[in-house]
Amino acid sequence: MATDNANADGFGEVSRVRGIVFEYLSLGASVFGLVALGVLLVYVAIDAFDLANASPEWLLTYFLTLVVPFLAFCLYSADDAAVTRRALGALGGGLVAVAALFTAIEALVVPIPRLNWQLAYLFVVAAPVTAYLAYVGSGGRVGAVGFGLLGRLVGGVAVGLAAGTLFLVFDPLLWFLAYTLGVLPAVGLYALGRLRSSPRAQTATVPVGLVGLVAAAFLREVVATYPSDLLIYLWTIAIPVAAAGALLVGDRRGRTAAVAVGGAPLVVATAGGFLASSAGLPAPTVLLVLVLTGVPTAVYVSRVVDAGEGLAGLGLPFLLAGGVIAGALVVQTFGFPTPEPWLDGSFLTAAPSRTPTDAGLYPAIVGSVIIIALVAVLSFALGVGTSVFLEEYTPGTGPLGTLTRILQVNVANLAAVPSVVYGLLGLGLFANLLGLGIGTAVTAALTLSLLILPITIISAQEAIRSVPDDLRRGSDAMGATRWQTTKNVVLPEAMPGILTGTILALGRAIGETAPLIMIGAATTVFRAPDSLFSRFSAMPMQIYTWAGFPQADFRYGVVAAGVITLLIILVGMNGTAILLRNRAERGS
Amino acid sequence: MSNTTSDDSLITTEVQADSNDDRAAPAAGTAVAARDLDVFYGDEQAIDDVTMEIPEKRVTALIGPSGCGKSTFLRCINRMNDMIEICRVEGDVEFGGKNVYDGDVDPVALRRKIGMVFQKPNPFPKSIRDNVAYGLKIQGFDGDVDARVEESLKGAALWDEVKDQLDSSGLELSGGQQQRLCIARAIAPDPEVILMDEPTSALDPVAASKIEDLIDDLAEEYTVIIVTHNMQQAARISDRTAVFLTGGELVEYDDTAKIFEDPEEQRVEDYITGKFG
């Protein structure tokens, strides 16, 4: 076909139709899925917070006192005229567009249930713009300080609550002995070793700690009198946290600042703990929350003041708190009708009930938190251990190599086994054979660990395999043993990948219902579990049960509140894990 | 100094043995010796009956075409070949008068006395300080680590460039700096021998020449055995040169000047002048 003027009209065309069709089909499918999920979550949120009954005045009040100041803060932090223009344009244009579109659909096509254009504007325009501005604003120094402070406040409360929850089931007296005899001497010895750079003190750390722990286990039954719970938490957690905070600050700012940073939150927390105990609140948890929030916040504030940049950001928590208070005052003064959300304080702290308005999720939350904590520890330790063994220790050839390959194939297959089957295994193995009890927290934790173990192992193997061989050879050539190479080079480099896999797997474990039904977990319990062997319920179980109740209030309001709680806890947990992973990535 | 220029080669391989005469003269002790060494990868023979003695505190270069077994020979010395499952070694490699393939030799302990630098710089994803201190850490070094880190970085001619950023990652350095960091890492535990497997082949000429200068200095204190593809490099920096040819045969092993100016074997002359290989 090569004629003289073949190229006169260019070089001809190559068809890209299939590629373009594929591209837009994929895009369409993803967008459809995301939008469907988004609409579902919007409705769940509307039900959980009873927003359908929120009056426009109420919405406007909080929009003006809470959202607008926050947006202004973000814009001030971003300090970028283009962003400001774009954000104002989106907010204003969005208002017109949403109102017009919504009215048109309602008038011409079909009425939209439980949604008005104000709510639609809130979810479709205001929320994304707020998220975008929060992202942009956190890039500025002021915003970074503000979000950093907010993160420490929220994170401290969450970690304090989680730790308090765990101590509902773990024996605080045993912990007291273990800390006093094992952890404290070991840490002290390690610090001494670092200070004097004496490796002998550092190597003694592990044996001393182990001896202390074993001694604690034996002495638990022997020792007759113990200090009160509050004193135990003060001694084992509050004081060490305060001391660590003081040390962090003391290095750079001297003794006065260190005492202030460590001491002030400690005093407040102790006072709070004693006040709480006299007011009938769970005193140790109050103490934990106060000290875990106070000390990191104090350290952070001290650092920010030290750096002297973005001090205005420290006002963010006050801005938000002030917005809530101002909004409440306005609503009260003018008597605006307020919605009655299903998801409120009492939902989180009350036990399940026959009446929808009294129903609470507290025992199920405690059950889920305990199980997830156990699953995280078990599956991480077992998963990393197994994958290190499979990747680093077994040879590729010979009988052991064949065994490894068989193991590999089976691990991959196990990941595909339905969770009901794991439930059956848990029932047979842990509940009956090992006698850990039907429907107990420890049985559930072990079963769920088994369930996600294959996923953890496979992702950890993948992460370990992606560590370049150059690094291993480099370490080997330095005369490192295989263990030293694994511990010092391979695992630190693989850790971000391992954590990613574990996060995904834990997300699956927290939402599992089928294996819990198989091991006989209770659908509803009315008291939080107080030991690993007490009967428990988990959040997905409780939500599933509510969904089957005849009253509409249960099936819509209470279930929605439960779902939102579950999602918030899941997102919080994953967020923490992702923060940890990012830190591990930056460290390497 | 006679020039060995081949007329029919496109590349002028004009190589001159350098003036390493300051170290060349007095006979030194033997650091590493191979006796009747055969290495097989599966059925394939990679080294064929090699016997040679490598003097201490000298630079010995191993040259030869690709696949001639010179890297394999290097890895026999610190038993890194143990990591390759199909590799089988026969014969003796003596280090400090002891056959390293004896049953009672712990390869890990052996490697602590022999440093190694690889073709591609492979610093650990850790801080510069931790990279250099790595060997000290795993060997349970009981002295002043920071002083040793400084000493090693000075020994690797890197101290002045990195002294203000010891806590930043070793991966942030340039390729040549990374390779010198690897050298610092290798000399920090004070080994007796340093093995270098084509240490400059992944580097630009300026970085390579810095490493070459460094190798020259290292030979004051350490026995350096270097594998290289670059004959000019071998001629410039080494005191002794061993020429391996295909099949893992050690064809000629002599003073560098002799190899490059007046080799005994025709095959060696062909290889050096670029007619072969």
Side-chain angles (χ1 to χ4, degrees):
Chain A
M1 305 236 185
T3 57
D4 285 343
N5 56 355
N7 294 336
D9 309 328
F11 298 98
E13 272 193 36
V14 180
S15 168
R16 289 180 181 75
V17 173
R18 285 176 209 192
I20 291 169
V21 167
F22 172 76
E23 186 185 343
Y24 283 102
L25 277 181
S26 315
L27 185 67
S30 328
V31 169
F32 177 77
L34 279 178
V35 167
L37 189 65
V39 170
L40 173 78
L41 287 183
V42 164
Y43 269 103
V44 169
I46 287 176
D47 281 348
F49 294 105
D50 194 28
L51 289 178
N53 294 327
S55 60
E57 302 94 315
W58 186 86
L59 283 176
L60 183 67
T61 307
Y62 277 103
F63 186 75
L64 290 179
T65 59
L66 198 57
V67 180
V68 171
F70 179 72
L71 292 180
F73 173 83
C74 293
L75 287 175
Y76 170 72
S77 169
D79 196 20
D80 185 338
V83 171
T84 311
R85 260 199 314 279
R86 223 178 302 154
L88 292 181
L91 285 173
L95 184 64
V96 177
V98 168
L101 191 70
F102 202 92
T103 322
I105 295 179
E106 289 252 85
L108 302 175
V109 190
V110 63
I112 301 174
R114 289 188 290 148
L115 205 60
N116 48 34
W117 67 262
Q118 292 94 338
L119 278 181
Y121 174 69
L122 206 60
F123 282 110
V124 177
V125 179
V129 170
T130 309
Y132 168 72
L133 283 184
Y135 172 71
V136 175
S138 66
R141 183 68 198 151
V142 173
V145 167
F147 288 114
L149 187 60
L150 210 58
R152 275 159 184 80
L153 287 171
V154 176
V157 172
V159 172
L161 286 177
T165 308
L166 289 181
F167 275 112
L168 288 177
V169 290
F170 294 115
D171 185 0
L173 305 183
L174 181 61
W175 162 242
F176 168 69
L177 289 176
Y179 175 80
T180 313
L181 299 176
V183 178
L184 189 62
V187 171
L189 211 54
Y190 185 77
L192 191 75
R194 282 298 282 262
L195 212 62
R196 302 246 174 99
S197 66
S198 137
R200 197 177 305 158
Q202 289 185 41
T203 31
T205 299
V206 175
V208 165
L210 283 180
V211 167
L213 293 184
V214 172
F218 276 112
L219 287 176
R220 168 70 183 87
E221 299 302 325
V222 179
V223 178
T225 50
Y226 288 95
S228 75
D229 276 5
L230 196 61
L231 287 180
I232 290 179
Y233 292 131
L234 194 63
W235 161 241
T236 60
I237 296 180
I239 291 178
V241 169
L247 271 181
L248 274 177
V249 173
D251 268 357
R252 287 199 277 172
R253 299 204 55 197
R255 189 166 296 174
T256 325
V259 169
V261 163
L266 187 64
V267 170
V268 171
T270 313
F274 279 107
L275 281 180
S277 67
S278 57
L281 289 166
T285 308
V286 171
L287 174 75
L288 289 182
V289 167
L290 285 176
V291 78
L292 286 175
T293 315
V295 173
T297 308
V299 171
Y300 189 69
V301 169
S302 136
R303 282 195 173 166
V304 170
V305 172
D306 218 17
E309 259 184 289
L311 288 178
L314 295 178
L316 180 62
F318 298 101
L319 190 75
L320 295 180
V324 172
I325 293 171
L329 279 179
V330 171
V331 165
Q332 208 175 14
T333 317
F334 292 95
F336 296 146
T338 53
E340 287 174 7
W342 292 104
L343 176 51
D344 55 7
S346 71
F347 180 79
L348 297 177
T349 53
S353 160
R354 295 228 149 264
T355 45
T357 40
D358 295 338
L361 197 59
Y362 179 65
I365 295 177
V366 173
S368 275
V369 168
I370 288 162
I371 291 172
I372 278 306
L374 279 179
V375 169
V377 173
L378 281 173
S379 66
F380 184 78
L382 279 176
V384 172
T386 313
S387 50
V388 164
F389 169 73
L390 287 176
E391 285 300 315
E392 300 290 319
Y393 275 84
T394 53
T397 55
L400 208 54
T402 318
L403 182 71
T404 311
R405 272 198 299 283
I406 294 174
L407 274 177
Q408 297 265 27
V409 171
N410 279 305
V411 168
N413 283 335
L414 282 178
V417 170
S419 53
V420 174
V421 180
Y422 278 103
L424 199 61
L425 175 67
L427 181 67
L429 180 63
F430 300 123
N432 290 334
L433 194 65
L434 296 181
L436 297 175
I438 290 173
T440 58
V442 63
T443 307
L446 288 171
T447 310
L448 289 179
S449 304
L450 270 193
L451 170 73
I452 64 167
L453 202 51
I455 309 175
T456 324
I457 292 174
I458 290 173
S459 56
Q461 270 188 293
E462 214 55 61
I464 289 175
R465 216 174 291 158
S466 70
V467 175
D469 246 1
D470 283 359
L471 295 181
R472 287 192 189 87
R473 294 294 90 85
S475 173
D476 290 339
M478 294 299 297
T481 61
R482 194 175 295 180
W483 173 248
Q484 286 172 326
T485 300
T486 306
K487 180 176 135 259
N488 295 318
V489 176
V490 177
L491 278 185
E493 185 68 356
M495 201 41 81
I498 294 176
L499 285 176
T500 305
T502 312
I503 294 166
L504 290 176
L506 281 180
R508 181 172 172 203
I510 197 174
E512 276 293 347
T513 321
L516 298 185
I517 297 175
M518 288 302 289
I519 61 158
T523 50
T524 302
V525 291
F526 293 93
R527 281 174 44 115
D530 54 6
S531 88
L532 287 179
F533 294 95
S534 56
R535 297 186 51 84
F536 79 102
S537 183
M539 284 187 280
M541 287 283 289
Q542 184 64 61
I543 293 168
Y544 176 71
T545 315
W546 278 332
F549 276 25
Q551 300 100 311
D553 274 351
F554 267 115
R555 280 183 283 127
Y556 292 99
V558 179
V559 165
V563 168
I564 293 285
T565 313
L566 178 60
L567 284 178
I568 287 176
I569 290 181
L570 184 71
V571 167
M573 207 179 70
N574 283 3
T576 316
I578 289 170
L579 275 183
L580 281 178
R581 184 194 64 190
N582 290 353
R583 185 149 287 190
E585 258 170 359
R586 240 180 302 148
S588 65
Chain B
M1 294 202 182
S2 71
N3 291 346
T4 49
T5 313
S6 69
D7 295 331
D8 51 6
S9 171
L10 284 174
I11 310 160
T12 315
T13 51
E14 190 173 335
V15 288
Q16 295 181 330
D18 189 25
S19 51
N20 280 331
D21 312 311
D22 47 332
R23 288 198 308 267
T30 301
V32 176
R35 299 199 204 293
D36 307 324
L37 186 71
D38 291 299
V39 179
F40 301 89
Y41 290 120
D43 293 332
E44 202 169 322
Q45 185 154 17
I47 290 188
D48 186 3
D49 194 26
V50 167
T51 298
M52 66 188 285
E53 290 189 353
I54 295 171
E56 67 181 359
K57 299 198 176 170
R58 293 282 181 276
V59 179
T60 303
L62 312 179
I63 62 174
S66 298
C68 70
K70 53 195 189 307
S71 292
T72 302
F73 179 80
L74 199 69
R75 286 199 303 266
C76 282
I77 299 171
N78 64 349
R79 288 187 61 175
M80 285 295 278
N81 280 334
D82 290 13
M83 312 269 169
I84 303 166
E85 282 175 34
I86 56 166
C87 180
R88 187 160 51 85
V89 179
E90 288 169 9
D92 293 356
V93 177
E94 281 174 16
F95 168 60
K98 169 89 183 158
N99 180 13
V100 300
Y101 283 94
D102 274 354
D104 61 344
V105 171
D106 179 358
V108 170
L110 169 73
R111 288 179 204 129
R112 293 184 177 187
K113 294 186 179 298
I114 301 179
M116 187 162 189
V117 178
F118 294 81
Q119 179 173 5
K120 216 176 107 202
N122 60 349
F124 300 129
K126 300 171 182 287
S127 70
I128 292 172
R129 184 198 316 264
D130 287 349
N131 259 292
V132 180
Y134 185 77
L136 305 174
K137 184 183 164 196
I138 60 175
Q139 296 184 21
F141 178 68
D142 208 350
D144 187 350
V145 173
D146 283 343
R148 193 63 96 75
V149 167
E150 180 177 341
E151 191 186 313
S152 308
L153 284 170
K154 280 178 177 160
L158 192 59
W159 173 253
D160 289 334
E161 291 161 59
V162 301
K163 63 185 173 198
D164 298 326
Q165 42 164 334
L166 288 180
D167 287 316
S168 60
S169 168
L171 296 174
E172 286 166 20
L173 300 175
S174 72
Q177 287 176 323
Q178 287 190 8
Q179 194 62 298
R180 276 180 282 150
L181 178 62
C182 291
I183 293 175
R185 183 177 74 185
I187 61 177
D190 202 21
E192 291 166 33
V193 176
I194 298 172
L195 310 178
M196 297 189 169
D197 192 352
E198 301 181 37
T200 63
S201 66
L203 304 179
D204 68 88
V206 177
S209 85
K210 279 189 186 164
I211 303 262
E212 285 181 14
D213 293 346
L214 176 58
I215 291 171
D216 217 36
D217 296 338
L218 287 177
E220 303 283 333
E221 279 189 63
Y222 308 97
T223 305
V224 178
I225 307 174
I226 176 170
V227 164
T228 178
H229 269 304
N230 183 331
M231 278 172 283
Q232 285 88 340
Q233 185 177 63
R236 276 195 298 271
I237 62 175
S238 71
D239 304 298
R240 304 270 292 172
T241 298
V243 183
F244 285 73
L245 289 181
T246 315
E249 185 190 353
L250 175 60
V251 182
E252 192 165 347
Y253 173 49
D254 212 327
D255 285 344
T256 301
K258 170 96 168 97
I259 295 272
F260 281 95
E261 285 158 23
D262 183 21
E264 299 280 335
E265 292 255 352
Q266 185 60 38
R267 283 187 291 165
V268 172
E269 185 166 351
D270 288 349
Y271 174 69
I272 288 171
T273 55
K275 282 181 187 161
F276 161 73

